[in-house]
Amino acid sequence: DTEVTQTPKHLVMGMTNKKSLKCEQHMGHRAMYWYKQKAKKPPELMFVYSYEKLSINESVPSRFSPECPNSSLLNLHLHALQPEDSALYLCASSQDWRDEQYFGPGTRLTVT
Amino acid sequence: ELKVEQNPLFLSMQEGKNYTIYCNYSTTSDRLYWYRQDPGKSLESLFVLLSNGAVKQEGRLMASLDTKARLSTLHITAAVHDLSATYFCAVNFGNEKLTFGTGTRLTIIP
């Protein structure tokens, strides 16, 4: 099973809302990632978790808050977002940070 | 600076023709990945290249890696419409993350 799942597929939220994105993998991977992708651009790394610890935060605004409750789950908590945060949010996982990353289907986020 | 450059950025080619996408990177690495992305979809892994001289082939796509030249190529043979997509190369520079190229948007014209 080489699947990474993400929920929800689509999310529309107002600038005062709080919502969460969820990512799950059951491949025993120990590294998990959040990316943000704008149209016609490559994915931009936001966070890296390695062995359930946050190892990289690419200077992401505090309105994005990651959480790794266990080795299979990764959440991204959203609060007071701006319209420019509208994008495709991708989760990925890999056996180790050196290894191939497998991407989930993404959450299409629209902030109104 | 750790950089990955792809060219061309846009490629429009006729069905049945051959073409090559180039991926150059700025400093030593022996881990390079090619991904495909269809519009509105996620990234699909195509090839993993882990050593100098590595060559991988799948259908009409073939990828190679020259670590001395810091260059990878993705060769398309006898293109068909189904290959229309955006292709990204990505390099692991040993810093716990992938650095992506700008992407090549490929359109196959009948």
Side-chain angles (χ1 to χ4, degrees):
Chain A
D1 181 10
T2 56
E3 191 180 25
V4 177
T5 59
Q6 287 186 246
T7 54
K9 289 184 181 176
H10 301 276
L11 178 61
V12 179
M13 59 187 290
M15 289 191 283
T16 58
N17 291 159
K18 286 185 182 182
K19 296 285 185 184
S20 296
L21 309 184
K22 180 178 170 182
C23 174
E24 195 164 3
Q25 57 87 16
H26 294 288
M27 296 177 276
H29 289 175
R30 304 318 299 261
M32 296 186 77
Y33 312 81
W34 280 116
Y35 289 87
K36 171 183 176 180
Q37 188 179 26
K38 296 285 240 182
K40 300 180 179 25
K41 298 289 187 185
E44 296 174 40
L45 183 67
M46 300 174 73
F47 303 104
V48 179
Y49 272 83
S50 184
Y51 292 83
E52 300 169 47
K53 291 192 187 318
L54 182 65
S55 60
I56 294 179
N57 175 342
E58 293 283 65
S59 303
V60 178
S62 60
R63 56 186 185 269
F64 295 91
S65 174
E67 179 196 16
C68 188
N70 60 56
S71 60
S72 301
L73 276 176
L74 189 64
N75 297 321
L76 186 62
H77 303 296
L78 314 172
H79 173 54
L81 294 193
Q82 304 297 309
E84 59 265 29
D85 296 322
S86 298
L88 180 66
Y89 287 83
L90 295 165
C91 174
S93 71
S94 61
Q95 182 62 43
D96 182 87
W97 61 265
R98 299 173 190 83
D99 297 317
E100 178 184 11
Q101 292 185 21
Y102 294 85
F103 284 80
T107 294
R108 174 74 57 190
L109 174 67
T110 303
V111 182
T112 61
Chain B
E1 187 186 356
L2 302 176
K3 285 183 67 173
V4 179
E5 294 181 342
Q6 275 182 247
N7 67 83
L9 297 183
F10 301 94
L11 177 55
S12 183
M13 53 189 292
Q14 283 189 309
E15 277 189 328
K17 299 289 188 185
N18 303 336
Y19 210 82
T20 300
I21 298 170
Y22 297 89
C23 174
N24 290 91
Y25 52 97
S26 59
T27 192
T28 304
S29 172
D30 57 2
R31 289 176 179 263
L32 189 140
Y33 307 88
W34 283 97
Y35 290 90
R36 168 183 171 144
Q37 187 173 36
D38 292 304
K41 303 289 188 183
S42 185
L43 277 73
E44 173 191 353
S45 179
L46 292 175
F47 298 110
V48 178
L49 302 170
L50 299 179
S51 61
N52 187 41
V55 177
K56 296 275 184 78
Q57 182 161 6
E58 179 75 34
R60 299 173 189 276
L61 300 178
M62 184 173 71
S64 66
L65 178 62
D66 180 343
T67 58
K68 292 186 170 68
R70 298 180 196 153
L71 171 68
S72 179
T73 59
L74 180 65
H75 187 72
I76 302 150
T77 302
V80 292
H81 180 69
D82 286 352
L83 291 178
S84 296
T86 297
Y87 293 85
F88 291 101
C89 63
V91 177
N92 187 319
F93 288 113
N95 57 352
E96 292 194 73
K97 56 187 178 181
L98 288 181
T99 302
F100 281 84
T102 47
T104 296
R105 199 173 328 151
L106 174 64
T107 303
I108 310 295
I109 303 166

